[in-house]
């Protein structure tokens, strides 16, 4: 619990800093009524196919190239199922629509995670560093998603939602210090004029690390007041809830962790300066939180009688040198590592890997 408490203290500090920043939207203005359409409803999900398959995609920044590779390799193995539920956080949120819609989107998924550069995602924020509490802004990512999330993609997600399948994305409400999970299929099927804009803004918010990227204002579905949202991985690096595993048939829970999963580092710190060590400290706190989230998911699967399967970046393969820097060569290497794992059915773990204890 200690890492979780420290993360939440860090989040509260971030919220305190954000308290005086501007709420002017950086994207298109969204109606609270539209975001109400993205609020999950309590309902029983219909099984899809012979078994209910649930996929959870974790946070991880540039290491998301590994998870993208796993999905593509999984398709090539011939054993990738259709998912009744897909949840995604941060980079996992960006992967989630591709995973949800299936192998037809694999070529686009591979292109995104092997050719994207930092300037395609973030840009310097100028004076916004002070007034909007973020060193960068996500305008390039928003433009990129505007090209990717087409009306056709929205229609396909809406059709899948009507069939009983579910697509969830989680952000962190920085104003109130809580995770928020959005029902993206319900939003796509809402028929609202600004549903696509809201869909994109939620994806951008889920992938916007507080402090590094300025927060994304979204109107609160209940009150209509603008609140600030950021990276969902701050509080929920992996999202699995008991309701996702309910059903008449035995479900299978698949988790793709975009990075190493463990309580200790697998590589030495690069540099000993204040910035390098601060980045290292935050990285390890988030890594411990990720490990706790994977363990929790395994417990939920066991309680639900679900099969549990995990893919994680092998400890012998280095993570991205900086999760906020996107270098095509580095990401291609991570992608191919994931592709190899996805092709091999025996590479899926049935429990979180053991870690060093003290």
């Amino acid at each position: 619990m200690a890492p979780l408490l420290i993360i939440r203290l860090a989040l509260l500090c971030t919220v305190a800093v954000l308290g005086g920043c501007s709420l002017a939207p950086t994207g298109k203005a969204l109606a609270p009524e539209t975001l109400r359409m993205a609020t999950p409803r309590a309902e029983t999900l219909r099984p899809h196919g012979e078994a209910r398959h649930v996929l959870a995609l974790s946070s991880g920044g540039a290491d998301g190239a590994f998870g993208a590779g796993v999905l593509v390799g999984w398709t090539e193995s011939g054993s990738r199922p259709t998912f009744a539920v897909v949840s995604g956080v941060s980079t996992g949120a960006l992967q989630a629509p591709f995973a949800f819609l299936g192998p037809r989107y694999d070529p686009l998924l591979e292109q995104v995670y092997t050719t994207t550069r930092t300037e395609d995602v973030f840009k310097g924020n100028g004076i916004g560093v002070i007034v909007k509490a973020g060193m960068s802004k996500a305008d390039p990512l928003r433009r990129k998603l505007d090209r990717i999330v087409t009306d056709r993609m929205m229609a396909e997600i809406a059709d899948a939602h009507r069939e009983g399948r579910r697509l969830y994305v989680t952000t962190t409400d920085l104003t109130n210090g809580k995770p928020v999970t959005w029902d993206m299929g319900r939003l796509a099927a809402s028929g609202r004029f600004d549903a696509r804009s809201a869909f994109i803004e939620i994806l951008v918010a889920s992938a916007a690390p507080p402090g590094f990227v300025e927060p994304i204002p979204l109107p609160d579905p209940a009150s209509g007041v603008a609140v600030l949202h950021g990276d969902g991985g701050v509080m929920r690096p992996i999202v699995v809830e008991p309701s996702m595993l309910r059903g008449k048939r035995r479900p299978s829970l698949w988790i793709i962790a975009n990075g190493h999963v463990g309580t200790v580092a697998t590589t030495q710190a690069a540099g000993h300066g204040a910035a390098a060590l601060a980045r290292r400290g935050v990285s390890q706190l988030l890594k411990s939180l990720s490990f706790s989230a994977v363990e929790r998911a395994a417990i939920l699967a066991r309680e639900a009688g679900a099969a549990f399967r995990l893919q994680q970046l092998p400890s012998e393969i280095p993570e991205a040198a900086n999760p906020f820097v996107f270098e095509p060569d580095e990401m291609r290497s991570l992608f191919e590592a994931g592709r190899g794992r996805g092709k091999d059915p025996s590479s899926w773990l049935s429990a979180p890997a053991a870690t060093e204890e003290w």
Side-chain angles (χ1 to χ4, degrees):
M1 287 298 293
L4 179 58
L5 291 174
I6 295 171
I7 284 289
R8 286 181 173 169
L9 285 173
L11 177 61
L12 290 174
C13 292
T14 302
V15 172
V17 171
L18 293 174
C21 74
S22 168
L23 286 175
T26 54
K28 297 179 180 178
L30 304 172
E33 292 79 8
T34 303
L35 292 186
R36 288 192 189 102
M37 295 298 177
T39 303
R41 295 178 294 188
E43 55 188 57
T44 302
L45 303 179
R46 296 196 299 271
H48 188 90
E50 293 300 318
R52 278 187 78 237
H53 295 277
V54 177
L55 174 67
L57 300 159
S58 84
S59 57
D63 290 311
F66 171 77
V70 169
L71 287 166
V72 172
W74 200 355
T75 297
E76 293 169 349
S77 76
S79 61
R80 176 176 162 183
T82 298
F83 303 108
V85 182
V86 175
S87 72
V89 183
S90 193
T91 194
L94 303 181
Q95 297 166 343
F98 299 110
F100 184 70
L101 293 176
R104 256 192 332 110
Y105 282 85
D106 281 1
L108 182 54
L109 179 66
E110 179 173 356
Q111 178 187 357
V112 168
Y113 275 92
T114 59
T115 65
T116 296
R117 298 181 179 276
T118 307
E119 55 266 31
D120 300 324
V121 182
F122 307 125
K123 67 178 293 186
N125 208 7
I127 192 65
V129 171
I130 299 173
V131 300
K132 292 191 176 179
M135 294 186 293
S136 305
K137 52 186 174 182
D139 289 353
L141 175 60
R142 185 177 288 107
R143 289 192 293 268
K144 192 176 188 73
L145 289 172
D146 189 50
R147 295 190 296 270
I148 291 172
V149 181
T150 61
D151 290 335
R152 177 179 176 181
M153 177 182 276
M154 292 287 287
E156 291 180 14
I157 292 171
D159 288 343
H161 179 82
R162 295 185 189 103
E163 292 172 2
R165 297 170 59 210
R166 295 294 178 263
L167 172 62
Y168 297 120
V169 164
T170 297
T171 63
T172 296
D173 177 346
L174 297 170
T175 302
N176 296 297
K178 64 181 182 179
V180 177
T181 295
W182 307 92
D183 187 337
M184 305 298 275
R186 187 182 178 205
L187 175 60
S190 69
R192 292 285 305 180
F193 74 96
D194 56 351
R196 192 173 75 92
S197 296
F199 194 103
I200 291 171
E201 287 302 295
I202 291 170
L203 292 181
V204 172
S206 186
F212 184 78
V213 178
E214 67 181 39
I216 308 300
L218 297 174
D220 181 76
S223 67
V225 176
V227 293
L228 299 174
H229 285 255
D231 196 318
V234 169
M235 299 190 79
R236 300 291 301 276
I238 298 167
V239 173
V240 178
E241 297 297 341
S243 60
M244 297 178 183
L245 302 176
R246 291 181 190 139
K248 294 182 179 179
R249 305 185 187 188
R250 183 174 186 250
S252 295
L253 173 60
W254 308 85
I255 291 180
I256 298 179
N258 289 300
H260 298 147
V261 175
T263 56
V264 296
T266 57
T267 58
Q268 290 187 333
H272 299 285
L277 291 176
R279 185 168 64 241
R280 175 71 158 188
V282 171
S283 173
Q284 281 307 116
L285 287 171
L286 293 175
K287 191 181 301 296
S288 294
L289 182 57
S290 295
F291 181 76
S292 297
V294 170
E295 283 196 317
R296 175 180 179 272
I299 292 170
L300 290 177
R302 183 169 63 248
E303 291 175 346
F308 176 87
R309 296 293 182 267
L310 168 68
Q311 280 286 2
Q312 62 185 55
L313 183 65
S315 60
E316 65 271 16
I317 298 176
E319 292 180 321
N322 185 333
F324 305 138
V325 174
F326 299 86
E327 294 289 349
D329 289 345
E330 184 178 55
M331 293 174 70
R332 168 58 75 177
S333 178
L334 287 164
F335 179 90
E336 293 301 335
R339 178 183 240 157
R341 303 282 293 185
K343 284 182 178 180
D344 180 6
S346 68
S347 68
W348 290 89
L349 303 174
S350 58
T355 58
E356 180 181 338
E357 298 291 343
W358 55 270

